[in-house]
Amino acid sequence: MKRFVSMSKSGGKASKVEQGEQVTDSVFDFLYHDGRRIGSFLAQFDQSGLITEIKQGESVTKGAKRGFKLEAGAQVALLGGGNLGFERSPGEAGGESIERSYDPFWANARMFLDVIDEKGLIQRDLSTAAIGQFVLVKGWLSIYDLLMFQEAWKLPSLQRMIRSGMALTKPTGNMTSAQKAAAKEQKDQTDMVLDLIQIMPHAVHASLVSSDGSAQFIWCPLKQEYMVTPASELVLMHGVQVPGEWAVLGVLSAHPDFAGIEQVNVQADAAPVGMMNSMVGQASNAIAPLVRLALGRPGAAAAITPLLIFREVA
């Protein structure tokens, strides 16, 4: 019996890395899987690139039988002569083969975890991790699907509720001129907020509070196409907090605001070039913090660019 394993890479030559059989005593339940970025990291550990397909086949070949020919002849007095012969042709060879193709997409996730863990590239303490390093935090996970609110801001009933909550309770007839001017300014600001929030980026967010007692708080944006379970289904099942202990693996993108804020400001002020000084740049500088304050990362949270969100199934 002949066995063969071949591995191919789309758009290029086959990788030299051979993937052995993984023997695991646990199963991971993936909630989020950024296969594209994980593939970009794995490709850097192999000079041939990323394995995108694994083929394994088995074939059995039966050997051919050797043919032969036997002849005999004799002469008998008065009766004459005769010949007797027997012949067997060579047997034909036969065989069968089976070929299986494997997609290593999900195996790459576990391989990536193993590789960066073996190389000591995972940081588990956010307070000592540097921007751009791989970090792994375990804890209690919350999912916020803001996409469903993007159209809701246009509803008159919701706008009335927001305006009533931000309006001054004192009757306008009892207000001074200064108070009326302040009320009008507040109404204009409310209208601006309602107009701006409709065009602000609405996305799926996740936050996680560590379960090891270190009180680490992380925030990360999630792309819908990398969600294994759609965020809308998670909201229908759980609301905000997803039960169980989850792990988030990603790249540290920002520390909490109370750490290193002076250095960030110095870097921003040191590069006032191009569009930064234009009207568009100034408007962007003024609006971007409002966008983050309304829909983005909390100031007390570290930001992570997520690669995997998973939990271990016993």
Side-chain angles (χ1 to χ4, degrees):
M1 179 179 292
K2 180 178 67 177
R3 296 176 181 268
F4 64 90
V5 177
S6 63
M7 304 179 186
S8 63
K9 179 180 60 166
S10 58
K13 63 182 180 179
S15 171
K16 296 180 181 178
V17 176
E18 295 186 1
Q19 177 176 320
E21 295 183 0
Q22 294 184 352
V23 180
T24 60
D25 55 1
S26 63
V27 177
F28 288 161
D29 177 19
F30 291 102
L31 184 66
Y32 185 83
H33 179 229
D34 188 345
R36 185 170 179 270
R37 287 179 63 90
I38 289 175
S40 72
F41 289 121
L42 280 177
Q44 298 177 52
F45 294 110
D46 180 6
Q47 61 180 359
S48 298
L50 176 68
I51 298 174
T52 59
E53 185 179 13
I54 299 174
K55 290 184 178 180
Q56 181 178 14
E58 298 179 357
S59 64
V60 179
T61 303
K62 298 178 181 178
K65 296 181 179 179
R66 189 172 61 180
F68 64 88
K69 183 178 182 180
L70 176 65
E71 292 185 353
Q75 293 288 335
V76 181
L78 300 177
L79 296 178
N83 292 313
L84 177 65
F86 176 76
E87 179 179 358
R88 188 176 72 180
S89 301
E92 296 181 355
E96 60 182 18
S97 63
I98 300 175
E99 181 176 313
R100 301 179 181 89
S101 294
Y102 296 90
D103 183 357
F105 181 79
W106 295 105
N108 284 343
R110 294 203 64 145
M111 185 189 302
F112 177 66
L113 282 169
D114 293 339
V115 168
I116 62 175
D117 189 31
E118 290 173 359
K119 294 182 177 296
L121 297 178
I122 300 179
Q123 303 295 322
R124 290 173 169 81
D125 187 355
L126 292 179
S127 62
T128 58
I131 300 296
Q133 288 187 309
F134 293 116
V135 293
L136 178 66
V137 184
K138 294 182 178 181
W140 318 122
L141 180 69
S142 298
I143 301 291
Y144 303 89
D145 185 6
L146 302 184
L147 293 172
M148 60 184 179
F149 288 105
Q150 192 161 17
E151 296 297 323
W153 304 117
K154 302 176 183 178
L155 299 176
S157 58
L158 182 61
Q159 292 188 8
R160 285 196 300 268
M161 183 179 68
I162 294 175
R163 286 192 175 94
S164 63
M166 299 180 67
L168 297 176
T169 58
K170 190 174 182 179
T172 56
N174 299 331
M175 291 182 181
T176 63
S177 299
Q179 290 174 336
K180 289 180 180 180
K184 183 180 182 304
E185 182 180 358
Q186 186 174 22
K187 179 181 178 301
D188 293 339
Q189 290 178 352
T190 303
D191 292 339
M192 183 185 68
V193 169
L194 288 173
D195 290 338
L196 284 176
I197 202 168
Q198 296 179 37
I199 63 173
M200 287 181 180
H202 288 63
V204 181
H205 301 173
S207 65
L208 183 139
V209 178
S210 62
S211 56
D212 60 358
S214 61
Q216 297 181 108
F217 180 32
I218 67 169
W219 174 92
C220 56
L222 304 178
K223 294 184 178 180
Q224 282 280 69
E225 59 266 32
Y226 300 140
M227 296 287 297
V228 180
T229 302
S232 57
E233 294 184 13
L234 294 174
V235 172
L236 291 174
M237 282 191 291
H238 309 297
V240 173
Q241 187 170 357
V242 184
E245 185 182 41
W246 294 85
V248 177
L249 174 72
V251 179
L252 183 62
S253 302
H255 288 292
D257 288 347
F258 52 78
I261 191 168
E262 291 95 359
Q263 183 178 1
V264 173
N265 288 338
V266 169
Q267 292 176 352
D269 295 339
V273 295
M275 189 177 291
M276 295 294 292
N277 278 342
S278 67
M279 182 178 66
V280 175
Q282 292 175 4
S284 177
N285 289 337
I287 293 175
L290 298 177
V291 174
R292 186 196 136 187
L293 181 63
L295 303 174
R297 174 175 66 96
I304 289 179
T305 301
L307 299 173
L308 294 170
I309 299 179
F310 61 96
R311 62 182 172 185
E312 187 173 350
V313 180

